[in-house]
Amino acid sequence: MSLQAIKFDRSLKTLQILDQLLLPYSTSYIEITSIEDAYQAIKKMQVRGAPAIAIVGAFAIVVQLNKLENITVKDLLASIDYLVESRPTAVNLSNACNDIKDLLTSTFSTSDVAGQQVLDTVFKYAVDLYDADLSNNFKIGENGLNYITETLRSQNFKGPFSIMTICNTGSLATSGHGTALGIIRTTFQNLTKEKSSEDFWFEKVYPCETRPYNQGAKLTTYELDYEKITFSLICDNMATSLISTLNSTDGSIRNSSAPVKFIIVGADRIVKNGDSANKIGTFQLAAIADFFNKRNAEQIKFIVAAPRTTIDLKTETGADIVIEERPSNELTTLNAPVLDVNGTAGEKLTVGIATPGIDVWNPAFDIAPHDLIDSIVTEDTKVYIKDSEGNFKLD
Ligand code: MRU
């Protein structure tokens, strides 16, 4: 059974989300009973990850409509606009909300009361969104595995290899399986030493901790541990050292000398030229791969994995992406449970880890420029790579 971030009962039309703020110490679901509940849960990051927040947003509109409260289509459209503001960078939420608004305005008049027909329309959209996301994630996994296999064959690579990743892009960030972590999952299911029919095999994952919110440390390790995929957690500032150690001829870490051959990340928005917004720290990983590739001809491939719902063809370049800035206390404090001597989690406490009252800059995302991206893997069988002039063609 895989982890489920979102539980939607299709006959009762009720919605529950796994409270990701409590992971990895406790697994508890919270009820989302309105658009306002969804706004708060998304803003507080009880659910996060670009595809997951879009799905929760769409289901929350269904849940709201299911109350049959006599609101007009006009008021509903206003609440949908409000919902989009909860996380501005991830395009999936605004794509889904805009689709729903288009459906409503093309079928109903704004003065109509949002009754059963409106509910049925949004319900169908939300359920289709969820189902498509799940099946697309499995395709992303397969396409990523094929790309990895073909890349290593073409490099005539032999032996074990490692993959580095950042943030959480797995079941918890999507409807299931995941995007970047979905590729890692599919690769683990097919290309470990026991299963590989190639001269190379997948040995280990290095998830970055992902400061300041620690989605890598808390969520990705939870998923990897759950699936028994071999990994070692690293802090974000260890990435260069790790590659330098593992990719040198005599380097080894914890008995593994499997070089990092792929850095695979998710995306919150991929714009027309391929520039990709993702969790803060992603750009530096792309720059690190580029540094090693230029210096030592390492051939580390930097892969962005996302469903096509993350592609925003209306925005030309990354310069036009609005980056969400988050509260300063995410950097200056830690909120986590106290652990007893046996490691059992107790009451949650907030502890200070920086000088009180200081100025803080806390952008949630950064933009990896397309020139540092080797490939974009989506549910399309064709993996997107740049043409001879260095341009992606994503449409
Ligand atoms: O702030 P978060 O946790 O929502 O950030 C999530 C990411 O950056 C993910 O990599 C991205 O949304 C893709 S999730 C499949």
Side-chain angles (χ1 to χ4, degrees), residues 243-262:
I243 295 175
S244 164
T245 306
L246 282 178
N247 294 33
S248 76
T249 42
D250 53 359
S252 155
I253 292 173
R254 305 214 176 288
N255 302 321
S256 170
S257 55
V260 176
K261 295 294 296 173
F262 302 94

Side-chain angles (χ1 to χ4, degrees), residues 8 13 57-67 119 122-123 126:
F8 179 73
K13 301 191 175 57
F59 280 144
I61 300 170
V62 175
V63 167
Q64 178 79 55
L65 286 167
N66 196 39
K67 297 182 187 194
L119 170 60
V122 183
F123 174 80

